Amino acid sequence: IIHNAWKSAEPGVLFWDKITSEAIPDLYGKGWKTVSTNPCGEIPLCPYDSCRLLSINLYSYVKNPFTDEAEFDYELFDEHSIYAQRFMDDIVDLEIEKIDAILAKIITDPEDDYVKSVEVNLWKKVQEKAKQGRRTGLGITAEGDMLAALGIKYGTPSATDFSENIHKRLAVNAYKSSIIMAKERGAFDIWNYETEKDAPFLNRVLAEMDEQYVNMYKETGRRNIALLTIAPNGTVS
């Protein structure tokens, strides 16, 4: 697998059984089952959902990089992770606004209605998915640079442990942010506690939170049906 990934310049490997068993949207049944990724393999999606991505630059949180005093600024990273999820939710609204503009243009185009109907139906389905789920794709870039700047050798057990901690913090902060936004802005349209209460990934994340956020989630839900993804970040970087 690794040889052929290198040979074809393919940037990653997807473990599809793990993706589908952990995906929270899949619990919402028909129409929300994960069927593929976007064309670049950046985010698993159900039909008509959108690829919305934002990457946090991990290298930027290394203080005194490439020195003996190098350290990771956890406090700033936590703060920015919460902001980033709010920004991602704003992007959903921006997309819905743009779809409204697209539909308005199609409707005023001179073609016959039967010609325009295919395009109108397509964009309405995309719009409906955005409104119902508000899926986001918050992730990271520059993980290798971060490790190098901290003096940690990539691929070693210590590097794996450090990266795992960073990704756990990102997940917890993003979901905390989405829970806070649900209280402020409302949960995603189809949120249902009973539907997703046994989701393994969600429960692992909630287990890392203070009780006040867990109780808030049970009461008002969260703003986004799915939050995280890590895109192949060569071009982004």
Side-chain angles (χ1 to χ4, degrees):
I1 291 173
I2 298 302
H3 173 79
N4 283 296
W6 164 80
K7 189 176 181 180
S8 64
E10 179 60 39
V13 178
L14 295 175
F15 296 93
W16 198 249
D17 55 343
K18 178 60 70 174
I19 288 172
T20 53
S21 66
E22 296 278 311
I24 301 172
D26 285 42
L27 298 173
Y28 283 87
K30 187 177 181 181
W32 291 96
K33 295 288 186 182
T34 304
V35 295
S36 185
T37 68
N38 69 326
C40 297
E42 294 165 328
I43 182 169
L45 296 169
C46 62
Y48 302 106
D49 216 341
S50 299
C51 169
R52 310 176 188 102
L53 305 175
L54 188 152
S55 297
I56 296 177
N57 181 359
L58 294 180
Y59 175 75
S60 68
Y61 299 96
V62 180
K63 297 189 289 188
N64 307 309
F66 299 103
T67 69
D68 292 339
E69 289 77 39
E71 60 178 328
F72 191 84
D73 192 336
Y74 291 103
E75 185 176 347
L76 187 62
F77 176 71
D78 291 347
E79 180 183 352
H80 285 182
S81 299
I82 291 173
Y83 286 151
Q85 184 58 34
R86 296 184 75 90
F87 185 55
M88 282 249 68
D89 189 64
D90 292 339
I91 288 174
V92 180
D93 286 329
L94 182 62
E95 178 181 318
I96 294 169
E97 179 183 315
K98 295 302 180 183
I99 294 174
D100 286 339
I102 290 169
L103 285 167
K105 181 189 179 300
I106 295 170
I107 291 169
T108 58
D109 281 346
E111 288 86 0
D112 292 334
D113 288 343
Y114 78 91
V115 174
K116 296 188 288 186
S117 63
V118 173
E119 201 169 359
V120 168
N121 289 336
L122 170 63
W123 282 110
K124 283 186 175 179
K125 288 177 180 177
V126 174
Q127 186 182 60
E128 182 181 39
K129 271 292 185 289
K131 290 180 176 179
Q132 288 182 340
R134 307 188 65 86
R135 182 194 295 266
T136 65
L138 179 61
I140 56 90
T141 189
E143 185 168 340
D145 292 331
M146 171 195 69
L147 292 170
L150 289 167
I152 304 173
K153 186 176 179 180
Y154 190 91
T156 60
S158 60
T160 300
D161 291 342
F162 189 88
S163 291
E164 183 177 330
N165 179 49
I166 294 298
H167 286 276
K168 182 186 290 184
R169 295 180 85 103
L170 177 64
V172 171
N173 285 313
Y175 273 81
K176 184 188 298 182
S177 182
S178 191
I179 289 168
I180 294 169
M181 283 191 290
K183 194 170 185 64
E184 296 173 356
R185 305 177 176 182
F188 63 93
D189 285 354
I190 63 170
W191 176 74
N192 184 285
Y193 174 72
E194 291 298 323
T195 298
E196 61 180 40
K197 66 178 182 180
D198 296 322
F201 177 77
L202 179 60
N203 284 322
R204 290 201 303 275
V205 172
L206 292 172
E208 300 291 331
M209 289 186 191
D210 293 339
E211 188 176 358
Q212 69 177 98
Y213 294 107
V214 177
N215 291 336
M216 195 186 303
Y217 158 72
K218 291 178 180 179
E219 181 182 344
T220 56
R222 62 181 191 285
R223 182 67 169 162
N224 316 97
I225 194 170
L227 282 72
L228 305 168
T229 197
I230 301 178
N233 274 312
T235 51
V236 174
S237 297

